[in-house]
Amino acid sequence: MTSFKAALLGAAGALALASGAAAAEFDIRASHGESIESPLHKGWQVFEAYVEGNSGGRIEVTVLPSSQLGTIGEALEQAKIGAIQMAHGDEQNLDRFYGPMVILATPYLFANDEEAQVFLRSDTFAKMNDAMAEQSNLRLLAAASYGFRTFTNNVRPIKSPADMEGIRMRVPPSPMSLEMVKAMGGSPTPVPWEELYGAMQQGVVDGQENPLGVIHDYSFWQVQKYLTVDNHQLGLNSLVINETFYKSLPEELREVVLTGAQMAAATEYGERNYQARVSAVDALREKGMEVYFPTPEEAQQFRDATREPLQAYLKEELGDEIVEAVYAEIDRIREAARNAVQ
């Protein structure tokens, strides 16, 4: 009797496991590089909940935060080859998979967050995204602004490009960031995100550049004194998917995944926007940072110092056609925005 009962229980357990395994037709394993307290992770949680619920259980999502699978670049490589299905990208990493994506990291390209979102919905960007998918097997589904990047350092307040002279400024592994700091007279020093805090703490670099919310959330105020809110680059966290996997989904499930990604981006952006506009500056001042906002004339000096070198770099790397197409698209976006308020 006991052995018969055990056999029945074993059979029931096996059936339950088989039933659970069959419940999901598709698995999405996704990696991102931030902590579970971050707005980015909250966005991925929304993606997980939406996709699992609205697929009727046909898709199971596992989100792996805090660089468990390696750096942002390493996780994107895994997504490219299909070892995982999705990964976190940003404006500093996608160009290694498709060169023209470096345009997203161009200083002073976007005047505000909404301008960037309209560009990401444009035909011009759709062509870039299709080309990246074809070339690298990676497709950007949605992107959230995590704020404009600003400079911090321990040497002096940066009020003009001349103040950058001699400062070892940490930059991500992006050619655009290297060219930007070089054009201002600084010494660009690539350091992986995961090593940044230690590099500042140990004096390997003098400064770094990131959005205000990131500077606050990752306690950079503990190892940095001066903050210049120059808003030189718009940070864009993106949800990137393996193109082969994406195409393998039935159309109705592709729509669910795309909508989930857009909802995730909206979730992150809402919290980041509040940080950047309301809470972060006051909090950083209270933590002891010296905060400086450039005057309009000083801000123009930064733009003037970088515009020609960066456009020349872009055209040399990418050719005139795509660079001119992007700037023309942004001009159309700005013109449409002006017309909308007239």
Side-chain angles (χ1 to χ4, degrees):
M1 184 65 137
T2 304
S3 60
F4 178 71
K5 187 185 225 178
L8 281 177
L9 289 172
L15 284 171
L17 286 172
S19 170
E25 299 173 38
F26 302 95
D27 292 312
I28 293 178
R29 295 182 74 236
S31 169
H32 73 72
E34 296 192 15
S35 73
I36 59 174
E37 290 83 19
S38 69
L40 182 142
H41 183 66
K42 292 174 184 176
W44 279 98
Q45 287 179 303
V46 168
F47 173 82
E48 178 180 350
Y50 180 86
V51 170
E52 290 187 343
N54 285 270
S55 69
R58 295 171 68 190
I59 301 176
E60 182 175 341
V61 179
T62 302
V63 177
L64 300 163
S66 305
S67 300
Q68 292 179 43
L69 299 183
T71 65
I72 294 173
E74 289 167 347
L76 285 167
E77 288 284 358
Q78 293 174 60
K80 175 182 176 178
I81 64 174
I84 58 176
Q85 288 69 47
M86 291 185 67
H88 159 211
D90 64 23
E91 79 290 347
Q92 305 290 348
N93 282 276
L94 292 178
D95 63 280
R96 72 175 71 176
F97 301 95
Y98 179 62
M101 286 295 177
V102 73
I103 286 173
L104 295 178
T106 302
Y108 308 110
L109 180 66
F110 300 116
N112 53 58
D113 306 285
E114 181 58 25
E115 199 170 90
Q117 289 301 321
V118 175
F119 176 75
L120 291 173
R121 295 192 294 268
S122 70
D123 290 341
T124 298
F125 183 75
K127 291 176 183 176
M128 292 173 60
N129 202 13
D130 287 343
M132 181 173 74
E134 181 177 352
Q135 178 174 309
S136 71
N137 203 32
L138 293 174
R139 176 175 294 277
L140 186 151
L141 294 180
S145 163
Y146 59 93
F148 281 90
R149 299 175 80 93
T150 61
F151 289 115
T152 70
N153 82 102
N154 281 324
V155 178
R156 67 179 76 91
I158 297 174
K159 300 181 180 181
S160 72
D163 292 326
M164 188 76 76
E165 185 71 32
I167 290 179
R168 294 168 298 173
M169 185 64 64
R170 178 269 177 180
V171 293
S174 164
M176 185 58 65
S177 296
L178 288 165
E179 292 295 324
M180 173 188 65
V181 173
K182 193 186 305 180
M184 293 182 186
S187 177
T189 308
V191 174
W193 165 256
E194 295 76 13
E195 301 172 15
L196 175 53
Y197 187 95
M200 292 186 291
Q201 188 177 43
Q202 297 162 22
V204 175
V205 294
D206 300 313
Q208 61 86 51
E209 40 89 49
N210 261 298
L212 295 171
V214 174
I215 294 166
H216 178 267
D217 289 352
Y218 288 86
S219 302
F220 290 173
W221 45 269
Q222 293 178 340
V223 290
Q224 296 279 274
K225 179 173 177 56
Y226 303 107
L227 166 63
T228 298
V229 187
D230 68 310
N231 293 334
H232 53 269
Q233 285 175 301
L234 182 62
L236 287 170
N237 275 330
S238 53
L239 292 93
V240 179
I241 195 165
N242 175 280
E243 175 76 349
T244 302
F245 172 78
Y246 189 56
K247 284 185 173 179
S248 76
L249 296 172
E251 183 177 352
E252 69 273 14
L253 292 186
R254 286 201 300 271
E255 291 178 6
V256 168
V257 169
L258 178 60
T259 301
Q262 292 168 341
M263 293 177 68
T267 299
E268 179 184 4
Y269 172 64
E271 189 162 343
R272 295 285 196 197
N273 193 36
Y274 179 80
Q275 284 181 327
R277 306 284 186 250
V278 179
S279 63
V281 172
D282 288 344
L284 290 169
R285 279 199 179 108
E286 289 175 5
K287 299 294 187 182
M289 292 197 80
E290 184 177 310
V291 181
Y292 185 76
F293 286 84
T295 66
E297 293 76 20
E298 289 168 340
Q300 188 62 46
Q301 291 179 34
F302 287 106
R303 288 191 288 271
D304 290 345
T306 58
R307 182 186 296 112
E308 289 187 10
L310 290 175
Q311 287 196 20
Y313 168 80
L314 286 172
K315 289 183 176 182
E316 182 179 347
E317 291 293 312
L318 308 176
D320 292 359
E321 183 177 354
I322 190 167
V323 176
E324 290 172 0
V326 167
Y327 278 92
E329 183 66 50
I330 291 171
D331 286 342
R332 285 192 291 270
I333 291 168
R334 289 176 181 163
E335 181 66 22
R338 285 192 293 267
N339 292 337
V341 297
Q342 290 176 355

